[in-house]
Amino acid sequence: MTKILFVTTSPRGESSLSTRVATTLVEELTTANPGAEIVTRDIGNDPLPHMGPTLLGGFFVPEDQQSAEQKAAVALSDELVAEVKSADIIVIASAMINFSITSTLKSWLDHLARAGLTFQYTEDGHPVGLVTGKKVYVVLATGAVYSAAPLDAIDFQAPYLKHMLGFMGMTDVDVVRVEGSIFSPEAAEKAVRDATARARAAAHADALAA
Ligand SMILES: Cc1cc2nc3c(=O)[nH]c(=O)nc-3n(C[C@H](O)[C@H](O)[C@H](O)COP(=O)(O)O)c2cc1C
């Protein structure tokens, strides 16, 4: 059975455009993969803790020497890693906040990037991702337009996300942009319409190719 992990990250609740478009994409993927199991991780409404000394320390202490706090912090990280590893398809709805991903999405990545679990270094120091064979869709919502000049030069969202996913082995990443919503309500509706059409087409094309 196909497993879909759906990660939502917007702090804007019901107003989120990335969640709106990504929800349609997940519906489309479910239609293309009947019986698919969907696991939703809503880190926008339920933000993840940031990496602090407890989590980081816990990563480097053998399990039988971890404090109760370290055990709990590492257990959450283990759960997030397991969710990603067991998914066939991952859909990330990413809101742009202050020119980049939300801090809760950064925290998700910090919980996932674990040496020996999701990446490792070769003897000559090259990183190798260990989370392979996934299809990832990233739905990015931005107020302005970062897919073209001049703002493409300061797009710290898509390149960073793609880099981190690739670092862990997830290299098949399709980016759908909901952009330019800041200009007017009409522009926002058009951005959602265009992105939804693009998301539907991507899901359909992938289903045909499978
Ligand atoms: C606190 C805050 C900061 C934002 N910063 C930016 C920004 O730096 N650049 C931009 O283009 N849009 C920015 N926006 C607009 C959001 O990217 C836009 O509303 C987008 O749709 C958010 O994703 P969402 O709809 O999934 O919540 C910001 C919005 C908020 C609330």
Side-chain angles (χ1 to χ4, degrees):
M1 188 193 4
T2 304
K3 277 193 172 183
I4 302 174
L5 173 62
F6 183 21
V7 183
T8 56
T9 71
S10 173
R12 300 193 322 117
E14 301 275 297
S15 306
S16 168
L17 303 183
S18 61
T19 303
R20 197 160 128 197
V21 172
T23 299
T24 305
L25 173 58
V26 169
E27 285 165 5
E28 206 69 31
L29 292 167
T30 311
T31 306
N33 298 277
E37 181 191 340
I38 300 164
V39 173
T40 301
R41 181 58 78 166
D42 182 0
I43 58 170
N45 283 307
D46 192 8
L48 292 170
H50 287 147
M51 176 183 275
T54 307
L55 177 62
L56 190 58
F59 283 164
F60 296 103
V61 172
E63 208 178 326
D64 59 350
Q65 291 168 35
Q66 287 169 344
S67 67
E69 291 77 16
Q70 285 174 330
K71 273 192 204 317
V74 174
L76 173 58
S77 169
D78 287 346
E79 193 181 328
L80 296 168
V81 170
E83 270 174 10
V84 166
K85 283 194 165 181
S86 68
D88 303 291
I89 302 172
I90 301 167
V91 177
I92 302 171
S94 174
M96 176 179 277
I97 297 294
N98 296 325
F99 301 98
S100 191
I101 60 173
T102 54
S103 58
T104 188
L105 181 53
K106 174 64 166 64
S107 185
W108 185 73
L109 295 166
D110 291 341
H111 279 80
L112 292 182
R114 304 256 311 262
L117 264 187
T118 55
F119 73 93
Q120 66 187 22
Y121 287 103
T122 59
E123 276 177 10
D124 48 358
H126 292 297
V128 178
L130 301 177
V131 187
T132 54
K134 316 290 177 196
K135 172 76 202 191
V136 184
Y137 298 91
V138 176
V139 178
L140 299 180
T142 59
V145 174
Y146 292 83
S147 61
L151 294 188
D152 59 342
I154 54 164
D155 180 5
F156 305 117
Q157 187 180 20
Y160 175 68
L161 255 180
K162 286 180 81 169
H163 175 78
M164 277 306 296
L165 293 167
F167 177 70
M168 292 184 278
M170 292 170 271
T171 50
D172 186 359
V173 181
D174 201 344
V175 174
V176 175
R177 290 178 183 267
V178 195
E179 56 183 354
S181 57
I182 206 163
F183 301 119
S184 67
E186 293 74 27
E189 279 314 311
K190 182 175 180 331
V192 169
R193 233 183 6 258
D194 291 351
T196 303
R198 160 94 177 81
R200 283 208 165 103
H204 192 63
D206 287 340
L208 285 180

